[in-house]
Amino acid sequence: MIALDLSLATIHGQRAGAAPVAPLPPITAINAEGWSAEWREGTPPTFAPDTAPQTISVARAGFDAGGAPASHAAARIFTVRRRQPYPNHAQPTVRSVALDDYVYATDAIAGVANGSTEVSPKPIAAWVMPSRLLVGDVVHWEIIAFHRDFRSRRQVACVRVRASNGMAQTPWQLVAATAISTSVEDANPIEVYQGDLDLAALATGDFWLEAEVYPWIGGAASVLRSEDLWAASASPRKFTRRWFRKDAGRAAAPPLAYVASSGSDAAGRWSADPAAAAASPFLTVSGAHQAIAGASATGGIADGCRIRIVDTVQIGSNAIAANNQGAACPVIERAPGTPRAAALITVANRYTPAMTCTIAGLEPNLLFYDCSLDRTTNTVGIYGASASAMLHVQLWNMRIRDAGGTFGTHLTNAHQSIFGAVFDPATTNWVWLSTSATNELRLFRGIIADVNKVSPVQWITIGCALTRAGSAVTQAPADGCIVYGNTFLALDGSKTPIAMAGGAAGETVTGVAIVQNLVEVIGTTSNPAVLLSADNANGSIVHAVLAHNTVTGFNGTGRANLFYDESSGTNRRNHRLNRLVGNIWCQINTKGDTFYAAKDAGEAPGRTGNFAYAHGVGCEGEWSQFADAAGSGFSQLYPGIGASIGTSNSVRHDPLFVDYRGTAGAASAGAGGGDYRLQSGSPARARIAMRGLAFDLAGTARPGEGRAAAGALA
């Protein structure tokens, strides 16, 4: 009897004094795709992930708010059984079950073989402040950053920035908390990582800023480093070095030239004394600019020289003598005491500052600050010296008027970044937001403009209020894009203001952040408002973050077409590592194998590149006001944790906005100008456990406790 008792105790893993053996986890392995797992025994059950979630604990390698390695505890939720591809699409696989989100190769699950080949991607980030400035002992910097594994009201764990001149560096400045930026006159508040960096460790001279962005989850390979991008490509379009010049004395008393309608280009004077410079103004901007090279006050270099506009003046002649600059650029600004609107530069001639940068790999740079530009004549604008000597033009807190939208481009041999600009609503200014393939529009920030249905370039678009926007176009789409904190207003439904796809078959688009935008569709033309690799497009999208967007419309007018594997021939796509949280959509559509069967049944089984999204992987708190489009193959198998999807193509699944003024029906246009905050009793509230933003589109603090609301406005 004693022997029998001992053997039974051994069978059950127990004997006197022994700890109980932990039960085996319900899965045996994570599959290579990272978002499905193999059920251990029997047929997987029907899961109830929202009401009775069945979870498994995961230890996730990552970083803390100080940038130190850390382990984060998480739970993955089993959602649905993974289905088979067409033609067996109605049947689940035998043992594979889908998870609510990815398990990375660096994650660990006790008792489970982790076969995932996915790793945490690098953050999506951008410098969003003007650069190439002359500074004293402190330099201000701002970065926006996004990542699919956000938490704690932060997209990333922290950002580190330091300055270097190649021989010495400042200590790293670490910032873990975001704040609303005040450096640019944004149309909508922009949440940034920012700092004022002490340059005491550096001698007078040129220097650059470099940054490291640490995600909450991932290993060393998941850290984004600007120096890595500088080594791979010095293109300032990307998240790489940002250059400045330190010279405390010159910054405190910069060389000045005034330009006034009463001035003289022959008698104008450069001086570090404001009174002396103001007493002898130039007549034109080009006259002042040309005099930089020979003026004793400038030392013959353009770094930090400031041209001040007193009243309405001409840009001047095309002939500007060459002048050198280092890391800092000349600045054209309003004179103290002159209102911005009155400090008006009339552009009636080609302005070609033939500047040369003395730093290898850097283009010459020019900054217009806090004044007004009025382009009055066709085929004129701002010119770089040549196609092999491109100029970069920065506009910062400007008013811009353009007397004819049919004019040719305002840039030739030049790139552009805008940090705050109001475009005169009485004129057509679209040429400032669209360009040729050779001119890069690197950043649109804080722009207020009526775009008049013409297509703006989409690369980095943040804090803007664009009315009647056209369909977005991309330059170098493989680099991805950031569209954050914007309002797209008065859309008639015929255009798609947010769109991204690859430029060629087989291309991979890496790093797309579409975050906290309001897209107000008021018209009745049936067309998508948001497209990510949709109908007949090219390219796989890897690491897209779509969070807290609000899109109005009616049924197919204003719809979102997301992560299609539908295109010509055998041009298959494979969308991975994408995260969609807390969006309020008009309608959601995706296409894969079951849709493709109507086009090519033989090819359809290979069209599973949208499978992760179709199984709701990475989706949380999604809201759709209408059912997916009529026809087969448009729907997700499972829309994600906490989702609420419309069931009708005619009756709105209403999130209860405070004042809805978007498209009201198939033939009922909206008035526009609605209030898209959620009413207190909105069912779109309390849907999201993980949140990655501290503020909403209006700058209101998002709550730190409880579940967060969907949409752009909390």
Side-chain angles (χ1 to χ4, degrees), residues 207-516:
F207 70 93
W208 66 83
L209 294 181
E210 55 193 56
E212 297 179 343
V213 184
Y214 289 78
W216 288 108
I217 305 298
S222 303
V223 178
L224 177 65
R225 295 180 170 87
S226 63
E227 286 299 282
D228 292 343
L229 290 173
W230 177 264
S233 169
S235 170
R237 182 179 188 268
K238 300 181 180 181
F239 184 67
T240 185
R241 292 178 180 178
R242 288 296 179 265
W243 288 80
F244 298 82
R245 181 173 180 81
K246 176 186 174 180
D247 189 327
R250 190 175 174 101
L256 301 173
Y258 283 68
V259 180
S261 59
S262 60
S264 165
D265 285 345
R269 177 183 178 187
W270 278 93
S271 176
D273 178 2
S280 300
F282 291 84
L283 177 63
T284 65
V285 175
S286 59
H289 202 152
Q290 180 164 298
I292 289 175
S296 60
T298 67
I301 61 170
D303 293 64
C305 293
R306 306 184 85 88
I307 299 173
R308 292 182 166 174
I309 310 303
V310 175
D311 51 15
T312 299
V313 301
Q314 293 287 331
I315 198 86
S317 98
N318 184 30
I320 300 176
N323 50 76
N324 289 335
Q325 64 175 251
C329 65
V331 179
I332 301 171
E333 63 184 5
R334 68 180 178 90
T338 301
R340 182 181 301 172
L344 179 61
I345 303 169
T346 300
V347 183
N349 294 292
R350 295 182 180 182
Y351 180 51
T352 311
M355 296 184 292
T356 301
C357 185
T358 58
I359 299 174
L362 282 191
E363 62 211 357
N365 213 285
L366 178 67
L367 173 66
F368 289 87
Y369 173 64
D370 197 22
C371 58
S372 299
L373 280 173
D374 183 0
R375 193 168 73 115
T376 61
T377 306
N378 196 1
T379 69
V380 303
I382 304 169
Y383 282 58
S386 68
S388 60
M390 299 286 282
L391 174 70
H392 181 219
V393 181
Q394 300 182 88
L395 306 172
W396 185 7
N397 293 348
M398 297 287 293
R399 290 193 67 86
I400 298 174
R401 185 170 63 185
D402 201 311
T406 59
F407 288 176
T409 179
H410 65 297
L411 294 177
T412 300
N413 300 326
H415 307 306
Q416 174 185 280
S417 298
I418 300 178
F419 301 87
V422 175
F423 287 84
D424 184 349
T427 59
T428 305
N429 306 286
W430 58 262
V431 293
W432 292 79
L433 307 182
S434 61
T435 189
S436 69
T438 57
N439 298 334
E440 296 175 355
L441 301 189
R442 293 174 178 164
L443 180 145
F444 292 155
R445 178 177 175 183
I447 295 174
I448 300 173
D450 185 336
V451 185
N452 194 25
K453 299 184 183 180
V454 174
S455 302
V457 171
Q458 179 180 274
W459 164 236
I460 299 171
T461 304
I462 62 173
C464 296
L466 302 181
T467 303
R468 297 192 300 162
S471 295
V473 297
T474 57
Q475 294 174 305
D479 292 339
C481 68
I482 299 174
V483 182
Y484 163 55
N486 306 287
T487 54
F488 298 93
L489 305 175
L491 299 168
D492 68 359
S494 68
K495 303 296 182 180
T496 304
I498 301 175
M500 177 56 67
E507 186 173 66
T508 297
V509 178
T510 303
V512 174
I514 312 295
V515 177
Q516 200 156 272

